[in-house]
Amino acid sequence: MSIKIHQLEHVYNQNTPFSHAALKGIDLEIPEGKVTAIIGQTGSGKSTLVQHLNGLLIPTAGTLDICGYHIQPLLKIKDVKQLRKEVGLVFQFPEYQLFEETIEKDIAFGPKNFGVEEGEASQLVRDILPVVGLDESYLDRSPFELSGGQKRRVAIAGILVLDPKVLVLDEPTAGLDPQGAKEMMTLFMRLNREQNKTVLLVTHDMEHVMNYCDHVIVLDHGVVKQKSDVKTFFEHPEWIVNIGINPPSIIRLKMRLKEAGFDIPDEIIDEEGLLKCIKRQVKIHE
Amino acid sequence: MSAVEVSHLSFSYDGQNDVIKDVSFAIPKGSYTTIVGHNGSGKSTIAKLLIGLLKAKSGEIKILGNILNEENIYSLRNHVGIVFQNPDNQFIGSTVADDIAFGLENHCVPQEQMQEIIEDVAARVNMSDFLDSEPTKLSGGQKQRVAIAGILAIAPDIIIFDESTSMLDPQGKASINEQIQKLHDERNITILSITHDMEEVAQSEYVIVLKDGKVEMQGTPKQIFEYKDKLKEMKLELPFALSFSEKLKNEGVFKDSYCTLDEVVNELCQLKSTN
Amino acid sequence: MNNIALGRYMPLNSVVHRMDPRAKIMILLFLMIAVFIPAGVWGYVLLSLFILLALFLSKLQLSFALRAMKPMIWMMVFLLVINVLVIKTGTLWFELGWFSIYSDAIYQTLYIVVRLTLMIIMTTILTASTKPLDLTLGIEKLLKPFDKIGLPSHIIAMMISIALRFIPTLIEETQRIMNAQASRGVDMENGTIKEKVMAILSLIVPLFVSSFDRADQLANAMEARGYNPMQERTRYKVLKMTGIDYVGLLASIALLGLCVVLAVVL
């Protein structure tokens, strides 16, 4: 079942002098089993939007349908805990949520909150470790003695262990080196492909959008500026440039070449196509 | 004379495992050097050693010809500034102007001169309109620009950037990289940038590659990028411009490969006009 | 968190905002002493008038100042109950079986309530009209004479200003960790004692870890920028007393004197 958002609004500190509308009339349908990117500048309302998906925030107007839950203003969500199990939210720098003495206990913390028995939780932890690329030797270690990248894996395992249907990731690769970021993205893509999880990715990295996502949603000052599939999106680089975001390198190169008089059709957004296209228009060395 | 000269430097946090192992390099005055390496290669430790926040186990560091020791560390900090990774944790003042003033206060700059200096450096990093702003109202990129202004205020000879852009969004990243380039072009400031952004490496003049606490390679970006397999093995990626020009080379379009997008575009335009 | 009035700076342009923080702190100090002098009804009338004038001059709303009282209301109610039960002197005003109310109990409570209200309004005027940094600078300058007896005034001031600087950052961080743990099924409101303890631990531990991280990085940044607590520093902000500051100081001293006289005479 897809996620349906209808005329959703969120005003912080409503009816006070500090009132601030973060989201204004959002209409969206996020398809099931796909990877959807949410992009936009800092302050565009991305984080506010994703916090509605697992009931951390309740809309001040409009409705949201997700995993069988119908969420509307002023109404307390019945069994919000179950919703949070279905929709796993990974915040930015999730390593800052670790607190237990051992990695095993920390990952098991979520399942236990949802009433899973000790033994079963322990089995779930053992099952999830290899998914994030760690082995059982980590179980008894303290999460605080790990490297930054490993800490993040443990924190993400703490959400994945709940086996959510929808996985919402708020800049999961921020601060990682390129290799670490690549491994992290590969992990999420595998979860999407093999377990058919719906993935929502809040990101600034256009290369990730291009390489990993199916759909793109652009937020700007609390409204949906653009929604499309990835291919169409990158065929219109002006959509990205208009909201002040730097397109991926390949698109930047294409734009520069077009300006310089090269004839490149819109639909070419991959390296192979661009290469062929260039080859046709330049003199080839012997 | 080199701006920074490091010879046989070793360091360990726990007294047993060296995280920096017999590292030597020299950075010419006025140059723009990047230090790259995977996470845990020791690159940030080097920055802390250079600014005297950590004490070397053995070896020596020369800053502008003076050997760094406990006596001259405070006076050498007049010449070296550093911008750290986390924009929030280096913003000390309660407003932009106060934060820029912090360094001036420490260096006992007379109060009458402060306002002029603050306005001047804020203008240089395009933060003139924000002098009274509080840090919570600023983006990460803006905070990093304030950090740069705070350092420019004491007119240092050397500025170290310790992964200063790694927590920023692409706009913030671009504005800081542009700022670095501008400082390098306009002023005779020696720039040492610790980074894992290969696009930034491509725009620098000189690269030092660290691996497991040792200098693995050093040279110009072009020389370094020759060792593709070695870089890959070290989990470092080639910049897009380079990997694309490699492909153009394979197709027989290019004779040479190029590190930056500008160079690739220029070269292609020339080939087109001769067509 | 945005509804807290006590201690919040309100950026307005008023005479009180422009006053020297040192003068404002001293005036507050004099008035605080005056509040505790038993100068009778007239003493409190005079003080209230003075404080209302200050509130008016600072362009703050009375409702804003009163909002700061909110957390105190239950304490006052509690006080009233205790006083009614304990104080059995003065005239008997009300009696029903074993329960009785004497006039002194009400007067006592009223005095305390009036004192508390006046003090909270005064403090709110100070914090709402003075930027935290200026306040710290004022405190530092006022403590300066105590340097001779070994009180490190500038270090105290630096600690206060850094604490103030990081309060918003830490509030944000707390919110983020709470959200992250809620997403792992933590319920801060319901649950058994054991679950609640875990819920609190899951918030406190990460907050401590990240705060220590921050403190470490901040110390590095300060040191790298040449901060040495043992060395002389110049200061960017200079404080200057003007006419209005002296007027305010004199007025508050006069008021304090008047209260003393009233207390002696009565």
Side-chain angles (χ1 to χ4, degrees):
Chain A
M1 206 163 43
S2 63
I3 302 166
K4 291 195 185 77
I5 299 170
H6 179 65
Q7 283 297 309
L8 186 132
E9 258 179 44
H10 194 92
V11 183
Y12 284 109
N13 299 312
Q14 210 167 20
N15 304 325
T16 74
F18 307 101
S19 135
H20 162 69
L23 295 174
K24 307 160 198 163
I26 303 283
D27 275 307
L28 282 175
E29 182 163 352
I30 297 162
E32 190 184 3
K34 298 279 185 210
V35 184
T36 304
I38 302 179
I39 62 175
Q41 291 203 338
T42 311
S44 58
K46 294 172 297 184
S47 295
T48 307
L49 180 63
V50 296
Q51 285 180 43
H52 282 84
L53 298 175
N54 75 345
L56 286 172
L57 291 176
I58 304 281
T60 49
T63 60
L64 165 67
D65 286 284
I66 183 166
C67 298
Y69 287 78
H70 180 72
I71 300 171
Q72 61 188 67
L74 303 172
L75 207 72
K76 217 174 161 181
I77 306 167
K78 226 196 266 166
D79 200 10
V80 68
K81 243 179 157 175
Q82 190 57 32
L83 171 64
R84 287 182 188 159
K85 194 179 170 310
E86 309 254 347
V87 182
L89 205 82
V90 178
F91 280 84
Q92 228 176 337
F93 301 106
E95 51 273 30
Y96 279 118
Q97 71 196 38
L98 302 175
F99 74 103
E100 279 280 17
E101 303 150 66
T102 68
I103 288 168
E104 176 170 15
K105 279 188 184 172
D106 207 291
I107 299 177
F109 178 62
K112 280 193 202 153
N113 283 328
F114 290 106
V116 175
E117 296 294 320
E118 192 85 41
E120 201 185 328
S122 161
Q123 189 52 47
L124 288 174
V125 174
R126 280 171 172 75
D127 293 342
I128 207 72
L129 272 178
V131 175
V132 296
L134 300 173
D135 59 54
E136 292 201 4
S137 69
Y138 283 91
L139 284 173
D140 292 325
R141 289 173 64 182
S142 159
F144 298 109
E145 61 186 40
L146 301 179
S147 74
Q150 288 172 323
K151 271 189 205 165
R152 188 167 300 184
R153 282 162 188 275
V154 171
I156 288 172
I159 293 290
L160 293 182
V161 73
L162 300 170
D163 193 25
K165 286 200 189 80
V166 178
L167 196 55
V168 184
L169 307 154
D170 191 353
E171 293 197 52
T173 61
L176 295 180
D177 62 20
Q179 182 66 26
K182 203 174 184 177
E183 287 168 13
M184 198 62 83
M185 289 310 298
T186 316
L187 159 70
F188 299 134
M189 290 313 114
R190 219 178 47 231
L191 290 168
N192 168 253
R193 269 197 324 272
E194 292 171 7
Q195 304 182 20
N196 200 33
K197 290 191 195 302
T198 306
V199 176
L200 266 113
L201 181 70
V202 175
T203 184
H204 284 302
D205 193 322
M206 289 305 117
E207 314 280 345
H208 287 172
V209 175
M210 190 156 192
N211 294 331
Y212 303 110
C213 298
D214 303 307
H215 293 272
V216 189
I217 294 163
V218 183
L219 286 186
D220 190 27
H221 293 100
V223 297
V224 177
K225 198 75 188 251
Q226 212 65 250
K227 44 188 169 185
S228 94
D229 61 284
V230 162
K231 193 163 182 310
T232 318
F233 184 71
F234 287 110
E235 285 171 13
H236 298 85
E238 66 279 6
W239 289 351
I240 323 175
V241 177
N242 279 347
I243 53 158
I245 287 180
N246 217 355
S249 311
I250 173 106
I251 302 295
R252 282 206 318 269
L253 177 64
K254 177 183 152 186
M255 288 166 78
R256 296 276 299 272
L257 290 176
K258 276 181 97 164
E259 270 169 43
F262 278 83
D263 177 31
I264 305 165
D266 279 347
E267 64 270 18
I268 288 181
I269 55 167
D270 64 309
E271 288 190 26
E272 289 315 308
L274 193 59
L275 267 175
K276 272 188 201 135
C277 197
I278 291 170
K279 222 174 144 185
R280 258 184 270 121
Q281 296 176 58
V282 294
K283 204 177 108 195
I284 304 289
H285 293 285
E286 298 314 315
Chain B
M1 186 176 62
S2 303
V4 178
E5 206 179 323
V6 171
S7 40
H8 305 293
L9 188 70
S10 292
F11 174 80
S12 94
Y13 284 99
D14 56 7
Q16 291 173 355
N17 308 312
D18 286 1
V19 285
I20 300 294
K21 300 163 191 158
D22 194 29
V23 164
S24 301
F25 59 84
I27 294 171
K29 248 185 168 173
S31 70
Y32 177 4
T33 303
T34 44
I35 297 187
V36 285
H38 56 93
N39 280 353
S41 59
K43 49 193 196 313
S44 282
T45 306
I46 289 209
K48 291 204 181 96
L49 286 162
L50 290 181
I51 193 100
L53 291 172
L54 295 173
K55 210 170 153 285
K57 187 170 139 191
S58 59
E60 63 173 34
I61 297 171
K62 269 191 191 169
I63 306 276
L64 302 163
N66 302 299
I67 297 174
L68 188 70
N69 59 36
E70 268 163 47
E71 279 89 64
N72 63 14
I73 180 67
Y74 283 103
S75 63
L76 281 180
R77 279 183 192 149
N78 284 323
H79 302 285
V80 192
I82 181 164
V83 181
F84 291 100
Q85 181 178 24
N86 191 317
D88 250 320
N89 299 348
Q90 54 188 317
F91 202 111
I92 294 142
S94 57
T95 65
V96 169
D98 287 316
D99 189 65
I100 298 174
F102 179 76
L104 296 171
E105 295 176 330
N106 295 335
H107 290 94
C108 287
V109 172
Q111 196 271 336
E112 313 80 66
Q113 298 172 16
M114 285 188 186
Q115 193 58 37
E116 200 190 322
I117 298 175
I118 291 171
E119 280 169 19
D120 172 53
V121 294
R124 267 154 66 184
V125 297
N126 295 326
M127 287 298 286
S128 295
D129 297 338
F130 297 92
L131 281 178
D132 292 324
S133 299
E134 292 165 22
T136 41
K137 302 264 154 61
L138 302 177
S139 71
Q142 288 174 323
K143 280 181 215 162
Q144 291 300 64
R145 263 150 52 204
V146 174
I148 295 176
I151 284 160
L152 288 178
I154 57 162
D157 301 286
I158 303 161
I159 302 184
I160 302 171
F161 293 88
D162 184 4
E163 298 194 43
S164 314
T165 61
S166 71
M167 285 178 74
L168 305 182
D169 60 24
Q171 288 94 304
K173 203 170 273 189
S175 81
I176 298 301
N177 280 345
E178 194 183 311
Q179 203 67 54
I180 296 176
Q181 193 71 55
K182 211 169 99 189
L183 285 175
H184 175 242
D185 292 344
E186 288 172 8
R187 325 232 153 202
N188 200 21
I189 298 177
T190 307
I191 288 168
L192 177 60
S193 179
I194 290 156
T195 182
H196 46 227
D197 177 0
M198 294 310 263
E199 308 286 335
E200 199 204 330
V201 173
Q203 76 172 21
S204 68
E205 294 170 332
Y206 197 72
V207 192
I208 297 166
V209 185
L210 281 187
K211 186 189 173 190
D212 301 326
K214 282 191 222 141
V215 175
E216 182 80 6
M217 297 186 266
Q218 44 185 323
T220 62
K222 225 167 161 199
Q223 289 170 334
I224 297 297
F225 290 140
E226 291 288 322
Y227 297 92
K228 270 170 280 174
D229 298 333
K230 220 167 173 183
L231 289 172
K232 218 166 219 162
E233 199 184 295
M234 294 167 65
K235 301 188 171 183
L236 295 170
E237 281 178 1
L238 293 182
F240 169 79
L242 189 73
S243 70
F244 195 76
S245 60
E246 288 287 325
K247 282 178 188 151
L248 286 167
K249 208 167 135 188
N250 288 341
E251 296 282 331
V253 179
F254 277 4
K255 270 195 258 175
D256 216 342
S257 34
Y258 303 90
C259 300
T260 67
L261 219 51
D262 283 337
E263 289 170 314
V264 172
V265 173
N266 281 344
E267 189 61 25
L268 282 174
C269 285
Q270 249 156 46
L271 289 171
K272 185 179 160 67
S273 53
T274 53
N275 190 357
Chain C
M1 305 254 184
N2 274 313
N3 289 317
I4 299 167
L6 191 67
R8 192 191 184 107
Y9 175 68
M10 294 296 280
L12 299 169
N13 185 12
S14 82
V15 161
V16 180
H17 281 72
R18 284 191 297 270
M19 279 173 75
D20 189 309
R22 286 172 300 180
K24 285 192 268 191
I25 295 169
M26 288 314 289
I27 293 171
L28 179 71
L29 204 67
F30 292 142
L31 293 182
M32 284 275 190
I33 300 170
V35 166
F36 279 100
I37 292 173
V41 176
W42 282 108
Y44 286 114
V45 170
L46 281 173
L47 267 172
S48 307
L49 285 176
F50 188 88
I51 289 163
L52 281 175
L53 178 71
L55 189 71
F56 172 74
L57 288 176
S58 68
K59 294 188 183 167
L60 291 165
Q61 306 273 329
L62 182 63
S63 63
F64 175 81
L66 289 177
R67 200 136 45 97
M69 303 278 305
K70 250 191 194 161
M72 301 288 174
I73 286 175
W74 289 111
M75 205 183 94
M76 291 177 184
V77 172
F78 182 67
L79 201 72
L80 178 70
V81 172
I82 295 287
N83 277 347
V84 165
L85 292 177
V86 172
I87 300 176
K88 300 289 177 197
T89 55
T91 20
L92 179 69
W93 278 2
F94 180 84
E95 196 170 17
L96 188 79
W98 58 272
F99 183 75
S100 56
I101 299 176
Y102 284 85
S103 60
D104 280 6
I106 302 296
Y107 285 138
Q108 279 288 350
T109 315
L110 214 58
Y111 268 127
I112 296 175
V113 168
V114 169
R115 279 176 184 170
L116 259 176
T117 312
L118 290 180
M119 284 197 299
I120 288 172
I121 297 179
M122 289 186 310
T123 319
T124 306
I125 297 175
L126 175 71
T127 53
S129 72
T130 320
K131 281 189 194 151
L133 193 85
D134 293 338
L135 206 56
T136 354
L137 194 60
I139 293 171
E140 180 184 351
K141 293 290 174 202
L142 288 171
L143 290 178
K144 194 90 192 159
F146 297 104
D147 274 4
K148 289 192 191 75
I149 57 162
L151 190 81
S153 60
H154 65 285
I155 294 180
I156 294 174
M158 180 57 78
M159 289 196 301
I160 300 174
S161 74
I162 285 178
L164 290 172
R165 148 74 183 89
F166 277 92
I167 284 173
T169 314
L170 288 179
I171 289 178
E172 215 172 273
E173 181 107 347
T174 309
Q175 190 63 56
R176 207 167 51 88
I177 296 171
M178 274 169 79
N179 278 339
Q181 303 298 24
S183 302
R184 288 212 276 170
V186 169
D187 189 338
M188 291 280 172
E189 281 147 29
N190 310 312
T192 62
I193 301 271
K194 196 179 163 234
E195 281 169 343
K196 273 196 179 142
V197 169
M198 281 307 271
I200 290 169
L201 274 181
S202 76
L203 172 64
I204 298 288
V205 174
L207 203 55
F208 264 87
V209 171
S210 81
S211 299
F212 278 116
D213 246 20
R214 271 183 206 287
D216 189 38
Q217 293 180 24
L218 189 69
N220 276 339
M222 289 173 73
E223 204 181 315
R225 289 176 69 182
Y227 181 68
N228 182 350
M230 298 310 151
Q231 246 173 23
E232 218 23 68
R233 309 170 71 221
T234 50
R235 297 309 294 266
Y236 169 49
K237 282 259 167 66
V238 270
L239 299 177
K240 224 177 141 228
M241 300 268 272
T242 55
I244 183 73
D245 296 308
Y246 293 111
V247 172
L249 275 172
L250 279 177
S252 61
I253 292 171
L255 192 62
L256 178 59
L258 207 59
C259 286
V260 172
V261 171
L262 278 171
V264 172
V265 171
L266 289 172

